[in-house]
């Protein structure tokens, strides 16, 4: 769905099927989630990853929790208790990407609006909400791509970090959506793909997506970016985002900040592509964004094989924060925010961007 080679998120017969992205590019296997606990595990262990994709999964997680209540014939009061517990577990499964909380808040808003709904109605309402969040994300990404492609010159060499592609979203991708849209418009571009240690989302997933689509891509080690910029081999950088604070400070995969500093030094445009569901107006600046810290073993090993002496300590922050002043523009489904700041972000945010129209028969 939405320009990816595999249906990486699918809702079928009341179960959630998630492509196991840990195994890419060598193996295509799916995790079948039939409880919200399965979804929590899939997000924590990164079977599914990428801010919008985990938001969509969490919305289906809430639906699965309502399904559990239905199967156990819980009263509507007990159903709401179960849903509260599910919301907490899902929201805490990864701390940095706000899309998780955004999707769960949408479910909460639905539940408060229909406070007399039966368990069946809750199930159906949350299922419809999850499907809408999924579908809207693809539509928004296409619009982000359309808006962002205008910033891409003919024959551009574009550097990207991590994976903000179809597989990180409902489909089409954000940063890769911009690249895809530029290619669809007939531009010839080539992409430098940061491998993105420690989990290699660039080497394993972005390279896989671009190759599948016949877009020219070259893999580089993360520490090559500075040299390539200094020798004029990069025309622009585009990355995704996990959380954008009200002032435009942006959390994204660890290493993004270093790229932005380098881009600034070399006068290379640095773009962030993200849906409005990634903007968190409750967070005033990037200082307040919680940065996930993951296990040391992800740094000290590769594919289950140790690469460092036993006993060495390792630091494994999954994200970093790029200050707004280093961002040339943020591209959302509503347009391009050049030199992002608090006022420009608030103005665009006021236009909204979510299309769910709910009703109970
Ligand atoms: O740890 P990950 O793989 O979930 O990190 C993903 C990223 O940092 C992406 O750039 C971000 O979520 C945007 S995805 C459209």
């Amino acid at each position: 769905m939405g320009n990816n080679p595999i249906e990486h998120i699918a809702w079928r017969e009341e179960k959630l099927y998630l492509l196991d992205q840990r195994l890419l590019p060598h193996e295509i296997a799916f995790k079948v989630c039939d409880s919200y606990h399965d979804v929590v595990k899939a997000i924590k262990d990164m079977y599914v990853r990428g801010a919008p994709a985990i938001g969509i999964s969490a919305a289906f997680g809430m639906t699965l929790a309502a399904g559990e209540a239905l199967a156990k014939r819980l009263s509507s009061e007990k159903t709401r208790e179960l849903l509260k517990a599910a919301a907490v577990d899902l929201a805490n499964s990864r701390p940095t990407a706000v899309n998780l909380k955004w999707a769960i808040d949408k479910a909460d808003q639905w539940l408060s609006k229909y406070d007399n709904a039966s368990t069946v109605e809750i199930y159906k309402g949350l299922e419809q909400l999850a499907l809408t969040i999924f579908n809207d994300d693809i539509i928004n990404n296409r619009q982000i791509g359309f808006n962002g492609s205008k910033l891409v010159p003919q024959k551009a060499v574009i550097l990207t970090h991590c994976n903000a592609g179809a597989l990180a979203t409902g489909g089409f991708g954000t940063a890769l959506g911009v690249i895809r849209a530029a290619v669809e418009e007939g531009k010839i571009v080539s992409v430098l793909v940061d491998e993105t240690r420690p989990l290699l989302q660039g080497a394993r997933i972005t390279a896989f997506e671009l190759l599948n689509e016949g877009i020219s891509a070259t893999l580089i080690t993360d520490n090559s970016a500075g040299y390539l910029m200094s020798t004029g081999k990069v025309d622009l950088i585009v990355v995704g985002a996990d959380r954008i604070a009200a002032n435009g400070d942006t959390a994204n995969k660890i290493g993004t900040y270093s790229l932005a500093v380098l881009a600034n030094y070399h006068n290379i445009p640095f773009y962030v592509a993200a849906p409005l569901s990634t903007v968190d107006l409750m967070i005033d600046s990037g200082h307040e964004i919680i940065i996930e810290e993951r296990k040391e073993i992800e740094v000290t090993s590769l594919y289950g094989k140790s690469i460092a002496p036993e006993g060495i300590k390792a630091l494994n922050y999954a994200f970093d924060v790029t200050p707004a002043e280093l961002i040339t523009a943020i591209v959302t489904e509503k347009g391009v925010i050049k030199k992002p700041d608090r006022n420009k972000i608030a103005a665009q945010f006021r236009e909204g961007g979510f299309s769910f129209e709910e009703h109970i028969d």
Side-chain angles (χ1 to χ4, degrees), residues 26 32 55 67 74 77 82 96 169 179 191 208 261 281 309 311 353 357:
H26 301 302
V32 185
L74 297 186
E77 195 188 328
L82 179 67
T96 303
T169 62
I179 295 170
V191 185
F208 173 76
V261 173
L281 292 182
E357 276 182 33

Side-chain angles (χ1 to χ4, degrees), residues 46 49-52 54 94 97 161-165 168-169 173-175 201 239-242 252-253 273 292 318-319:
M46 294 179 68
R49 31 70 46 200
I54 61 178
R94 286 191 82 188
H161 189 63
C162 193
N163 172 263
T169 62
T174 55
Q201 290 92 328
V239 295
D242 282 82
N252 190 50
K253 178 54 56 195
E292 176 182 7
F319 303 96

Side-chain angles (χ1 to χ4, degrees), residues 27 78 82 317 337 350:
E27 210 179 309
K78 289 277 173 214
L82 179 67
Y317 291 104
I337 309 171
R350 277 195 291 274

